[in-house]
Amino acid sequence: MGAPFFVMERLFGDVPPDVTPYTFQGWLLDASPAGRGRLQRRSVEILARLHDTVFTAEELRPLEIAGPGGSALRRHVDDQRTYYGWAHGSMRIPLLERAFDWLEDHWPAALGARRAELGDARIGNVIYRDFTPVGGCWTGRWPPSPPAS
């Protein structure tokens, strides 16, 4: 394929769909408030546990954006800003531009332990059984994060 990839076992369960969105129809919309609450709590719990996992530089290297330019986090943020400029052209998104400015103004003096930061951590990328995450398909890069606060 020309690039590193992962092979995982097949998991069975339910995935909140994008088309038609799960907020308009389907099993999640039809679920009880208790079921939706369980999905919400357990989804956040799994993301927090993943964020708390410390990785070595060697483990994260295949997922980093290659090239010059400081840390992997710096390259990731620069890559996202470049993508924003390319994707939106003259159609500006002030909130996103303020977020990039905030990141620059609050850039950490030192990076902490290497942790995963998911670029697309939404429930549509998670497989659920009984409103509990049993697997996920998170794509993109996982840059090292600033110190956990």
Side-chain angles (χ1 to χ4, degrees):
M1 292 182 53
F5 61 93
F6 296 100
V7 176
M8 299 177 280
E9 69 180 283
R10 182 175 182 175
L11 296 175
F12 294 92
D14 299 306
V15 176
D18 289 333
V19 179
T20 300
Y22 59 85
T23 53
F24 293 165
Q25 71 179 26
W27 64 272
L28 189 52
L29 182 66
D30 297 337
S32 69
R36 287 192 300 267
R38 188 165 58 246
L39 180 139
Q40 180 182 4
R41 283 188 311 281
R42 291 183 177 168
S43 298
V44 171
E45 287 168 1
I46 196 113
L47 291 173
R49 285 199 321 260
L50 182 58
H51 180 75
D52 283 345
T53 303
V54 177
F55 296 92
T56 66
E58 293 75 30
E59 290 170 321
L60 287 179
R61 191 160 290 116
L63 304 171
E64 293 177 359
I65 295 170
S71 69
L73 180 61
R74 174 85 265 164
R75 290 190 305 274
H76 174 73
V77 171
D78 290 347
D79 184 65
Q80 292 301 300
R81 184 171 247 166
T82 299
Y83 176 76
Y84 162 70
W86 172 83
H88 293 279
S90 63
M91 188 175 90
R92 310 320 296 165
I93 302 175
L95 178 63
L96 192 51
E97 292 179 3
R98 287 193 307 273
F100 280 124
D101 291 342
W102 187 93
L103 285 171
E104 293 304 324
D105 292 345
H106 296 87
W107 196 260
L111 295 179
R114 301 173 77 85
R115 290 175 160 58
E117 293 290 335
L118 301 176
D120 195 6
R122 57 191 171 90
I123 61 173
N125 286 336
V126 179
I127 302 168
Y128 295 92
R129 226 178 283 132
D130 191 32
F131 303 98
T132 300
V134 295
C137 180
W138 293 293
T139 60
R141 313 274 182 195
W142 295 9
S145 63
S149 54

